[in-house]
């Protein structure tokens, strides 16, 4: 049994943390809203009032939060941050989707404080988190990665070591950018097919038999054609990730920029909390 702290119980985090309880590990949790933790607390998880409190005595401290600002608050706050409570031989695992610059800066903060840190963002959304089918994209010292891998493997089906700190963030941003561009392209094409008086589902069924089709395209098509927009990966989050990718590209990424503009338009139409595939509505 490993003592683990889990920080951030959003749609992904609470599903990931559940697997750690199911595996019999001792779990302490923190979230900005305590009520989110109730299902885990009922199963024996311990509540902490701050990330620092959660990290005390933990062998692994895992964070799954929204963005760079949330990550900074969780790890670095002088009074409540997890680094303040962590033992020096513990491993900090940052699983949030963050900018490359911030991940590298966080690594510097960890080194200055004598803390051990790896980054471990994940590919997959709520169903994959629910079924422990996430794919990990892990950057950092290989020895720390190997120490953490047995626990990461409880929440995911594959742990990829991508290289040094920052490489995991890059791999995750590349993944989400490829996805975001496909989403906006398929939305645009469905709109075009409708204007041509065609059945988009029939046309796309034919296209799906060609080599250009992808697994993601199939999922996106199904969501858009059936107008199933319950959030799996909200517009607000994919827009944020494309912004981080543009930052890494020094803004020289016209395809990424164009896709982000589509998601920006969806936000302006108050669709930010819906699944990213809701951008199909922009072309109706």
């Amino acid at each position: 049994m490993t003592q683990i702290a889990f920080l951030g119980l959003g749609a992904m985090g609470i599903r990931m943390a559940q697997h750690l309880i199911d595996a019999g590990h001792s779990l302490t949790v923190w979230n900005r809203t305590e009520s989110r933790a109730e299902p885990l607390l009922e199963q024996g998880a311990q509540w902490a009032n701050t990330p620092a409190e959660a990290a005390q005595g933990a062998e692994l401290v895992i964070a799954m939060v929204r963005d760079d600002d949330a990550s900074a608050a969780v790890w670095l706050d002088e009074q409540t941050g997890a680094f303040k409570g962590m033992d020096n031989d513990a491993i900090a695992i940052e699983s949030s989707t963050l900018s490359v610059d911030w991940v590298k800066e966080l690594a510097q903060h960890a080194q200055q404080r004598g803390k051990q840190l790896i980054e471990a963002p994940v590919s997959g959304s709520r169903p994959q988190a629910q079924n422990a089918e996430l794919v990990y994209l892990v950057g950092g010292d290989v020895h720390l990665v190997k120490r953490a891998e047995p626990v990461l493997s409880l929440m995911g089906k594959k742990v990829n070591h991508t290289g040094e700190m920052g490489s995991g963030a890059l791999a995750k941003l590349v993944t989400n950018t490829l996805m975001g561009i496909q989403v906006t392209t398929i939305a645009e094409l469905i709109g075009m097919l409708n204007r041509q008086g065609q059945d988009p589902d029939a046309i796309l069924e034919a296209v799906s038999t060609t080599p250009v089709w992808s697994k993601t395209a199939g999922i996106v098509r199904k969501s858009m054609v059936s107008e199933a927009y319950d959030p799996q990966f909200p517009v607000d989050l994919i827009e944020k990730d494309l912004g981080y990718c543009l930052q890494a590209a020094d803004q020289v990424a016209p395809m990424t920029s164009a896709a982000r503009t589509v998601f920006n338009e969806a936000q302006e139409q108050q669709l930010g909390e819906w699944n990213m595939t809701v951008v199909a509505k922009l072309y109706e």
Side-chain angles (χ1 to χ4, degrees):
M1 182 175 68
T2 301
Q3 178 66 43
I4 302 171
F6 206 104
L7 313 175
L9 300 175
M12 295 290 287
I14 195 165
R15 290 168 168 82
M16 295 164 69
Q18 180 66 56
H19 296 303
L20 303 178
I21 291 180
D22 292 344
H25 292 298
S26 178
L27 188 68
T28 301
V29 297
W30 170 88
N31 190 61
R32 288 186 304 174
T33 306
E34 184 175 355
S35 60
R36 288 284 300 174
E38 288 177 2
L40 301 178
L41 301 179
E42 290 171 358
Q43 297 175 73
Q46 300 297 309
W47 172 255
N49 290 314
T50 66
E53 182 181 323
Q56 291 176 2
E59 298 167 63
L60 301 173
V61 182
I62 303 169
M64 189 67 168
V65 295
R66 185 180 181 90
D67 54 24
D68 288 1
D69 291 340
S71 173
V74 160
W75 294 110
L76 300 183
D77 186 280
E78 292 298 331
Q79 300 301 317
T80 64
F83 282 161
K84 179 178 176 61
M86 277 181 60
D87 295 334
N88 287 351
D89 60 351
I91 303 175
I93 304 174
E94 178 50 275
S95 282
S96 315
T97 301
L98 306 172
S99 71
V100 178
D101 287 347
W102 169 245
V103 168
K104 291 180 177 180
E105 182 179 340
L106 182 62
Q108 292 176 349
H109 285 291
Q111 185 177 30
Q112 291 167 2
R113 290 165 170 77
K115 308 301 181 185
Q116 302 182 110
L117 170 72
I118 61 174
E119 55 168 341
V122 298
S123 176
S125 59
R126 300 178 192 190
Q128 289 75 35
Q130 184 75 37
N131 296 322
E133 294 177 346
L134 297 168
V135 174
Y136 276 91
L137 305 165
V138 187
D141 182 88
V142 65
H143 301 293
L144 296 179
V145 174
K146 288 190 177 299
R147 281 176 55 192
E149 186 169 358
V151 168
L152 297 181
S153 295
L154 296 172
M155 298 175 283
K157 65 180 182 180
K158 178 69 174 176
V159 178
N160 298 294
H161 184 220
T162 55
E164 63 186 11
M165 290 294 293
S167 66
L170 279 169
K172 177 61 185 293
L173 295 177
V174 167
T175 299
N176 284 7
T177 299
L178 283 171
M179 178 172 60
I181 290 172
Q182 288 182 80
V183 168
T184 56
T185 301
I186 293 171
E188 182 177 308
L189 292 175
I190 287 176
M192 180 268 288
L193 292 170
N194 279 321
R195 287 191 296 276
Q196 287 290 324
Q198 299 294 319
D199 178 357
D201 201 32
I203 297 290
L204 293 177
E205 174 62 27
V207 176
S208 73
T209 66
T210 71
V212 304
W213 199 250
S214 70
K215 182 177 180 180
T216 293
I219 296 169
V220 169
R221 162 200 168 194
K222 181 178 179 181
S223 172
M224 291 180 179
V225 169
S226 63
E227 298 185 359
Y229 301 135
D230 289 342
Q232 301 294 331
F233 194 164
V235 167
D236 285 340
L237 293 185
I238 189 70
E239 187 278 334
K240 179 263 295 184
D241 295 348
L242 292 179
Y244 287 161
C245 188
L246 284 169
Q247 178 182 323
D250 293 329
Q251 306 301 317
V252 185
M255 294 296 293
T256 303
S257 181
R260 189 187 186 199
T261 298
V262 176
F263 292 115
N264 287 149
E265 184 176 347
Q267 289 175 315
E268 291 173 4
Q269 296 194 23
Q270 307 303 311
L271 298 173
E273 295 183 0
W274 293 96
N275 197 53
M276 59 185 175
T277 51
V278 78
V279 294
K281 295 179 68 67
L282 302 178
Y283 300 95
E284 292 178 348

